[in-house]
Amino acid sequence: MNSSAQSPTDPDAQPLAAATPAVISVSPTSGSTAGGTPVTVTGTAFTGATAVRFGATPAPSFTVSSDTQLTATTPPGTGTGTVQVTVTTPIGISNQFVTYTYVTTPAPVLSSVSPTSGPAAGGTTVTLTGTGFTGATAVQFGTTSASFIVNSATQITATAPAGSGTVQVTVTGPGGTSNGQPFTYTTAPVPALTSLTPTSGPTAGGTTVTLTGTGFTGATAVRFGTTSASFTVNSATQITATAPAGSGTVQVTVTGPGGTSNGQPFTYTTAPVPALTSLTPTSGPTTGGTTVTLTGTGLATVGAVRFGATPAASFTVVSDTHITAVAPAGTGTVQVTVTTPGGTSNGISYTYSAAPTLSGVTPNQGPTSGGNTVTLTGTNLTGTTAVTFGATPATSFTVLSPTQITAVVPAGSAGPVTITVTAPGGTSALPSAYFYVSPPVLTGVAPPSGPLSGGNTVTLTGVHLIEATAVRFGTTAASGFTVVSDTQITAVVPVGAAGLADVTVNTAGGTSNPVSYTYLPAPVVTTLIPSQGPVSGGITFTLTGTNLAQTTTVLVGGTPAGFTVVSDSHIVVDALPGAPGTVNVTVTTPGGTSAPKTYTRVGSPGI
């Protein structure tokens, strides 16, 4: 059946299109021989299109947007050259001679865009990086064209048009259209810059500049003029940036998701950069407050002193070579720098030290004369600069570790004192931690003598005896002792040699003065004359021997008798009455008791 003669009553008949398709233009008009370039075809009667051809080759895919527009993907070309673009519908094939040119130039490749977001109002300056940008004919944000400048084959600067949501940024060149990179339109506020500190620096760059303002969250760029700077977003209201090299006065701007801020002026100067040579002291407590002297050159015009990133609590320029600054609170080791119009100095290390703590002292008492060594324990003791007992500095001290110090105790008055340690991190005190003890004083020993064998108990009297740790007879320790009170000690005498021995007492307060104690040998009786006498007594007899001078008792038959010590070798004894017979006579001294001699009582002759 002839399709032009179809019966209007034929149930299988279809309505015919009003006209054959017509192609008016294509965009872009050229692309890579590799194909794959999206081409927008404009014309009429595209509804129901069944094919789009580039020359004789069908497009691998196409989408009809409306009766007047479709988008087709170019097939690969067989070589460079110009081909006719046609559209086929059920009514027919377009026959206008609209062409597309295959070229060997590669399509642009887009690797990144910066920043990746901006305000919906547009106006953001976006840097496109990639390859094949020479001869670029279009930059599009989604389907919206943007104004742009081709800086090089690898860089384009474009101004984002108004938009919304996330769109694909593409570059179109002679070789085709690039891949897309996302750009997001945001409703974030535009950053606002209110101040810079400092406002100048050397032409070589390197100055640390603090930017203050609002809307800094998500900042993507800081520029000094047209030159990007490295930076750190500290908060929504502060950024720290390092000035790049430059000259003259430039505007510093911040770019964020909401756009680019207003500018604040920064002046590049040729003034000399300040230099620091030393700090005194080089450490202090984490709470800050330490006054630090900075020495260097070019300091007369200093406008800022920083401990790390933190400004000094205050500072005073003393001269071109000296500044005093009050350290702010901080931790760890930081670099102290100064900033002048000529730039920012080198850094000198300053260490924040934790405050020391004292927890103990061993031993915790000693003599008022001092001179003894004690061990202090605690924490954070490294770098200790002073140890005091009360208000008196230690004679000397040695820091053994962060937890231990040995100190030589100075002289002091009897009683408790507070020990204080001063370190870079501050001061720590241990109240009433150390006791000065008065030295012991001996006034007497009773009895003042005894046998060579020792074992007898003597009583020592004096003052400050309560802390006694040792009692000595000469160099020999007492066999035992008991502290009765602060004024009295009883001690068991050790074995000794005949003669005088110095008795001393040791306490935490030192060693006492000596008192004399005499070791006596036991008495010896060699003769008793006369060796007999009447039972009625009433006569005397003489004992001869040695070591008799200290005689305390003479026993005749077990009964004490009266006696007179004539010398160390003679005693005259009163003979006691008694029953007839022989009795023993003994002599007792502090040195012991003699061997017995016999005395015979004789009765009267019978009548």
Side-chain angles (χ1 to χ4, degrees), residues 83-111:
V83 297
Q84 182 182 5
V85 179
T86 60
V87 175
T88 300
T89 69
I91 298 304
I93 300 173
S94 65
N95 61 2
Q96 294 74 30
F97 195 71
V98 176
T99 61
Y100 178 85
T101 302
Y102 282 101
V103 296
T104 56
T105 302
V109 175
L110 189 55
S111 56

Side-chain angles (χ1 to χ4, degrees), residues 522-588:
V524 176
V525 176
T526 55
T527 62
L528 189 159
I529 298 173
S531 62
Q532 60 183 12
V535 294
S536 60
I539 68 167
T540 61
F541 55 83
T542 299
L543 302 178
T544 302
T546 57
N547 304 319
L548 305 179
Q550 303 293 325
T551 295
T552 57
T553 304
V554 175
L555 297 178
V556 177
T559 302
F563 65 91
T564 300
V565 177
V566 178
S567 69
D568 192 51
S569 58
H570 289 86
I571 296 175
V572 176
V573 181
D574 296 330
L576 298 177
T582 299
V583 294
N584 287 330
V585 177
T586 60
V587 175
T588 299

Side-chain angles (χ1 to χ4, degrees), residues 35 77 125 139 207 254 272 279 287 301 304 349 358 422 437 439 505 529 572 579 594:
T125 299
V139 173
T207 302
V254 176
L279 303 178
T287 54
T301 58
S349 294
L358 275 182
T422 300
V437 179
V505 173
I529 298 173
V572 176
S594 67

Side-chain angles (χ1 to χ4, degrees), residues 285-356:
T286 56
T287 54
T290 302
T291 298
V292 181
T293 299
L294 289 67
T295 303
T297 58
L299 308 182
T301 58
V302 164
V305 176
R306 289 184 175 85
F307 285 67
T310 307
S314 64
F315 69 91
T316 302
V317 177
V318 178
S319 68
D320 194 53
T321 59
H322 288 85
I323 291 175
T324 58
V326 177
T331 58
T333 298
V334 298
Q335 296 296 304
V336 179
T337 58
V338 298
T339 300
T340 70
T344 298
S345 72
N346 58 300
I348 299 288
S349 294
Y350 179 86
T351 300
Y352 285 100
S353 301

Side-chain angles (χ1 to χ4, degrees), residues 502-519:
D502 287 336
V503 181
T504 56
V505 173
N506 283 91
T507 72
T511 301
S512 73
N513 60 297
V515 293
S516 293
Y517 176 84
T518 305
Y519 279 101

Side-chain angles (χ1 to χ4, degrees), residues 235-579:
S235 68
T237 60
Q238 187 181 83
I239 289 175
T240 303
T242 302
S247 61
T249 298
V250 298
Q251 294 296 307
V252 178
T253 58
V254 176
T255 299
T260 298
S261 73
N262 58 299
Q264 288 288 341
F266 181 87
T267 302
Y268 286 99
T269 71
T270 57
V273 178
L276 288 180
T277 55
S278 67
L279 303 178
T280 303
T282 58
S283 59
T286 56
T287 54
T290 302
T291 298
V292 181
T293 299
L294 289 67
T295 303
T297 58
L299 308 182
T301 58
V302 164
V305 176
R306 289 184 175 85
F307 285 67
T310 307
S314 64
F315 69 91
T316 302
V317 177
V318 178
S319 68
D320 194 53
T321 59
H322 288 85
I323 291 175
T324 58
V326 177
T331 58
T333 298
V334 298
Q335 296 296 304
V336 179
T337 58
V338 298
T339 300
T340 70
T344 298
S345 72
N346 58 300
I348 299 288
S349 294
Y350 179 86
T351 300
Y352 285 100
S353 301
T357 60
L358 275 182
S359 56
V361 53
T362 304
N364 65 353
Q365 57 184 5
T368 54
S369 60
N372 53 310
T373 298
V374 297
T375 299
L376 307 177
T377 54
T379 60
N380 304 317
L381 303 180
T382 300
T384 291
T385 56
V387 176
T388 58
F389 288 73
T392 307
T395 303
S396 65
F397 65 90
T398 302
V399 179
L400 303 179
S401 72
T403 61
Q404 193 173 82
I405 294 174
T406 57
V408 177
V409 182
S413 300
V417 294
T418 295
I419 300 177
T420 303
V421 169
T422 300
T427 298
S428 177
L430 206 57
S432 300
Y434 184 81
F435 286 79
Y436 281 103
V437 179
S438 297
V441 177
L442 284 179
T443 56
V445 54
S449 58
L452 305 181
S453 59
N456 54 310
T457 297
V458 298
T459 298
L460 306 177
T461 54
V463 292
H464 310 311
L465 306 180
I466 196 72
E467 297 287 342
T469 56
V471 175
R472 289 184 173 82
F473 288 71
T475 59
T476 305
S479 300
F481 68 92
T482 301
V483 177
V484 178
S485 68
D486 193 50
T487 60
Q488 189 177 91
I489 294 174
T490 59
V492 178
V493 181
V495 174
L500 293 175
D502 287 336
V503 181
T504 56
V505 173
N506 283 91
T507 72
T511 301
S512 73
N513 60 297
V515 293
S516 293
Y517 176 84
T518 305
Y519 279 101
L520 298 174
V524 176
V525 176
T526 55
T527 62
L528 189 159
I529 298 173
S531 62
Q532 60 183 12
V535 294
S536 60
I539 68 167
T540 61
F541 55 83
T542 299
L543 302 178
T544 302
T546 57
N547 304 319
L548 305 179
Q550 303 293 325
T551 295
T552 57
T553 304
V554 175
L555 297 178
V556 177
T559 302
F563 65 91
T564 300
V565 177
V566 178
S567 69
D568 192 51
S569 58
H570 289 86
I571 296 175
V572 176
V573 181
D574 296 330
L576 298 177

